[in-house]
Amino acid sequence: MDIHRNGSRPSVSAPASYFTGRVRQDLVIEAPDPARLRAIVVTFEPGARTHWHTHPLGQTLHVLSGLGLVQAWGGEIAEIRPGDTIWIPPGEKHWHGAAPSVAMTHLAMQEMLDGSAVDWLEPVTDAQYAP
C-alpha cells in the first residue's frame, strides 16, 4: 500500500504544447502496472483549455469548482458545472477547459494503454472556443 500525503507532490504548470492559457495540474494517482489508472486535478484559469485530444480507453471528468466548457469534435460546446460528471468514449476527439471569465477545476481520470493515456492533437482555435 502507498499513501501519498496531501501536499507531498508539487503542483505542475501544464505544458503550452498541449494547453492554451494558464493551467495547473496536481497528480492524484498514476498507479503502477498492472493497474492503468491515472487521475489528475486540473485547474484552468479563465479562458484556458486543452488542445484537441483523444484517449485510447476513454476519460471521465468530474467538475469540482467553477464553470467549464467541453466539446466533442463536430458537436456543440456544453457548459459543465460543479458536480457534473462527463464520460468521453475511447477515441473521441474533444477538448475541455474554463469558461471565458470563470476558472474551472476538474478531476480527470483515464487509463493507460501501452504506456499512454492521451493522444494530443492541434490547438483549439479562438473561433472554435468562442461560446
Side-chain angles (χ1 to χ4, degrees):
M1 177 184 300
D2 290 330
I3 298 174
H4 300 279
R5 300 284 180 206
N6 186 24
S8 66
R9 294 183 277 197
S11 297
V12 176
S13 293
S17 53
Y18 304 136
F19 294 84
T20 298
R22 290 185 38 197
V23 180
R24 186 183 77 237
Q25 297 175 319
D26 292 286
L27 182 66
V28 174
I29 189 70
E30 189 162 27
D33 290 337
R36 301 189 292 195
L37 178 64
R38 184 167 196 245
I40 305 170
V41 173
V42 185
T43 300
F44 298 83
E45 292 298 319
R49 56 201 180 263
T50 66
H51 288 189
W52 289 102
H53 61 286
T54 64
H55 299 276
L57 297 175
Q59 181 181 47
T60 300
L61 304 175
H62 183 76
V63 182
L64 301 172
S65 65
L67 177 63
L69 303 173
V70 64
Q71 182 182 28
W73 186 259
E76 297 294 319
I77 295 173
E79 285 190 352
I80 53 177
R81 299 176 179 278
D84 290 351
T85 301
I86 302 92
W87 164 245
I88 299 147
E92 182 169 70
K93 186 175 179 178
H94 69 284
W95 67 269
H96 38 95
S101 60
V102 180
M104 187 268 296
T105 299
H106 66 45
L107 175 64
M109 298 165 277
Q110 52 275 325
E111 293 181 289
M112 307 283 270
L113 180 64
D114 299 325
S116 178
V118 60
D119 294 310
W120 291 105
L121 305 167
E122 70 275 11
V124 175
T125 66
D126 289 342
Q128 291 170 322
Y129 173 77

